[in-house]
Amino acid sequence: MKVMKFGGTSVGTAERMKSVAQLISCDMDTKIVVLSAMSGTTNTLVEISGYLYKKNPEGANTLINKLEQKYIAHTFELYKTEEWRKATTKFLHEEFDYLRSFTKVHFTSFEEKVILAQGEIISTNMMTNYLKECGENTILLSALDIIRTDKNAEPDFSYISNKSQNIMAENPGYKIYITQGFICRNAYGEIDNLLRGGSDYTACLIGAALKTEEIQIWTDIDGMHNNDPRIVENTVPVRQLHFEEAAELAYFGAKILHPTCIQPAKFAGVPVRLLNTMDPTAPGTLINNSFQPGTIKAVAAKDDIVCIQIESSRMLLAHGFLRKVFEIFEIYKTSIDMICTSEVGVSLTIDNAAHLNEIVEELKKYGTVSVEKEMVIVCVVGDLSANNIGFETMASEAFRQIPVRMISYGGSRHNISFLVQKEDKKRTLQALSDTLFHS
Ligand code: ASP
Ligand code: MG
């Protein structure tokens, strides 16, 4: 048994839905298929909610009606038989009437989450109906019965494990189990979600809970590339990554995967494979627990980084200085990404500047503070353990002509990060590709 998750673009049109249906029905293996909403839908639902918060029902209704027309048009392309097209049209009308009903109620974040859940509910119903029309042995399971978060809004893994095992046991004998990505219930039983892009997370949670042989994340690119393909030419997909390497790349900008989603898969030891719906036979990227010594895997960059430096002669020989500094970040719930220290100062970076002013004011108690905005963290991922001699130098070689503000090495055995200015991002990424992958 395996889990296959298809993102918004992979189910973005009737044509794409048909390709997905073909992919999931081409052999006799049992599959759990996790679907995103059709691309653009969640954004539109966010926009609709925006109008409802502003008490503008007309604005909301205009968007709801437009979205409904789009979906009705999809049914003409997707279904061959009148029977299934009619059944789906009826379902869609009920769905959109439900959306319209929110224009008459008091609108809060609770209602917004219910609205956001409809994108995945619609895409999974449409796909299930299509598979049934094609004669497939399929069943739709509601993710609202399986995925739950705890009081900290984190997935409640023991609940999810129990539920998914029970639901599978109660519904034996199907070839294709369809469910929604992204959506869940929270600790209070209300409809909630795993945050934007959370469908990957759903797939990994279910795969880990059922200890499936593999979790496949299908997107529209052939795996994780060794550098940002939007910026650097001639990037190639990385064939294999350790879970930690993949998490680091996802966090530092490789948009293909939700950064925290692979943790459950890692703990359960279930491999994750990134595959391309546009090129289904391409090998993609395999993420598992094996670590390839002596190889640099990839480079990624994270934008909008703020660098804060605190200099103080009081730090000299003093203890407790860093604790005081860190406490300030803790109070403002701001996490630190990179950190470098010397005897008389500390530089660190944050990617959430919401409380920057307050943090800086507090830090001034302990030293002279300077702030640089619009910085970029460039991270190199692979075997960067101390005994893999020379790889740090190879990475640093790329910075011969580029001003580097910070270097962080040794935090883990598979990462070295550099902080550069925004205007140097492109040439930094290119230079790293040239030195690490093309020489
Ligand atoms: N539909 C949700 C979003 O657009 C979840 C997902 O696609 O992963 O964020
Ligand atoms: Mg996604």
Side-chain angles (χ1 to χ4, degrees), residues 147-325:
I147 310 291
R148 189 184 268 254
T149 51
D150 61 19
K151 291 202 166 101
N152 301 315
E154 295 294 336
D156 180 344
F157 193 66
S158 65
Y159 180 95
I160 296 166
S161 274
N162 280 332
K163 267 294 186 173
S164 39
Q165 282 160 23
N166 290 346
I167 286 185
M168 291 304 283
E170 285 158 13
N171 297 284
Y174 291 94
K175 184 173 114 182
I176 303 169
Y177 295 83
I178 308 265
T179 194
Q180 300 87 16
F182 177 59
I183 70 174
C184 63
R185 287 191 190 273
N186 59 27
Y188 312 98
E190 299 155 352
I191 293 182
D192 210 321
N193 61 61
L194 300 174
L195 303 182
R196 296 303 305 273
S199 295
D200 295 347
Y201 211 169
T202 307
C204 289
L205 286 164
I206 294 178
L210 296 173
K211 295 218 187 324
T212 57
E213 80 203 50
E214 191 166 281
I215 298 159
Q216 300 183 341
I217 309 280
W218 290 80
T219 63
D220 53 356
I221 172 166
D222 46 357
M224 217 182 259
H225 277 226
N226 64 356
N227 205 331
D228 190 334
R230 294 163 302 182
I231 298 175
V232 174
E233 283 170 22
N234 302 324
T235 62
V236 293
V238 184
R239 292 283 162 252
Q240 186 273 339
L241 288 166
H242 186 273
F243 280 115
E244 296 296 327
E245 293 173 330
E248 209 115 38
L249 287 171
Y251 181 71
F252 286 108
K255 288 280 180 293
I256 180 165
L257 197 67
H258 183 288
T260 48
C261 83
I262 50 179
Q263 293 308 320
K266 180 191 159 197
F267 293 130
V270 178
V272 176
R273 201 183 284 277
L274 309 178
L275 291 159
N276 184 1
T277 17
M278 314 287 173
D279 186 6
T281 54
T285 301
L286 177 66
I287 304 167
N288 57 17
N289 268 319
S290 85
F291 188 67
Q292 287 177 0
T295 40
I296 298 285
K297 296 292 182 58
V299 175
K302 190 170 165 87
D303 300 323
D304 296 323
I305 301 294
V306 178
C307 175
I308 304 170
Q309 185 177 40
I310 309 114
E311 275 184 298
S312 168
S313 51
R314 277 196 280 162
M315 191 174 164
L316 216 93
L317 299 174
H319 54 81
F321 177 82
L322 284 177
R323 181 179 55 77
K324 289 180 201 144
V325 167

Side-chain angles (χ1 to χ4, degrees), residues 47-90:
E47 225 182 310
I48 290 167
S49 305
Y51 279 112
L52 294 172
Y53 275 122
K54 293 187 180 70
K55 298 192 174 44
N56 178 352
E58 206 183 303
N61 270 331
T62 310
L63 288 180
I64 295 171
N65 295 343
K66 237 166 84 186
L67 194 63
E68 182 175 25
Q69 279 163 18
K70 216 165 97 180
Y71 274 95
I72 297 298
H74 292 318
T75 64
F76 284 95
E77 289 171 57
L78 190 56
Y79 302 99
K80 301 177 283 285
T81 62
E82 219 23 36
E83 179 198 350
W84 285 106
R85 195 184 62 73
K86 274 206 174 128
T88 310
T89 309
K90 183 169 173 277

Side-chain angles (χ1 to χ4, degrees), residues 5 7-8 36-38 42-43 116 120 181-182 195-200:
K5 178 259 167 177
S36 285
M38 293 178 87
T42 311
N43 285 343
L116 293 194
E120 271 74 9
F182 177 59
L195 303 182
R196 296 303 305 273
S199 295
D200 295 347

Side-chain angles (χ1 to χ4, degrees), residues 34-147:
V34 176
L35 299 183
S36 285
M38 293 178 87
S39 57
T41 299
T42 311
N43 285 343
T44 306
L45 295 172
V46 169
E47 225 182 310
I48 290 167
S49 305
Y51 279 112
L52 294 172
Y53 275 122
K54 293 187 180 70
K55 298 192 174 44
N56 178 352
E58 206 183 303
N61 270 331
T62 310
L63 288 180
I64 295 171
N65 295 343
K66 237 166 84 186
L67 194 63
E68 182 175 25
Q69 279 163 18
K70 216 165 97 180
Y71 274 95
I72 297 298
H74 292 318
T75 64
F76 284 95
E77 289 171 57
L78 190 56
Y79 302 99
K80 301 177 283 285
T81 62
E82 219 23 36
E83 179 198 350
W84 285 106
R85 195 184 62 73
K86 274 206 174 128
T88 310
T89 309
K90 183 169 173 277
F91 159 80
L92 287 172
H93 284 316
E94 282 162 11
E95 269 294 313
F96 283 92
D97 283 344
Y98 183 48
L99 287 178
R100 278 183 282 266
S101 75
F102 287 93
T103 57
K104 296 183 187 78
V105 298
H106 177 61
F107 200 75
T108 67
S109 64
F110 169 76
E111 280 76 21
E112 178 179 20
K113 284 169 178 167
V114 178
I115 288 196
L116 293 194
Q118 304 313 310
E120 271 74 9
I121 291 178
I122 294 176
S123 66
T124 49
N125 271 279
M126 286 174 72
M127 179 63 86
T128 309
N129 285 356
Y130 178 67
L131 289 168
K132 284 184 177 165
E133 182 183 57
C134 297
E136 291 297 330
N137 181 17
T138 185
I139 183 171
L140 175 60
L141 303 175
S142 174
L144 300 178
D145 296 333
I146 305 171
I147 310 291

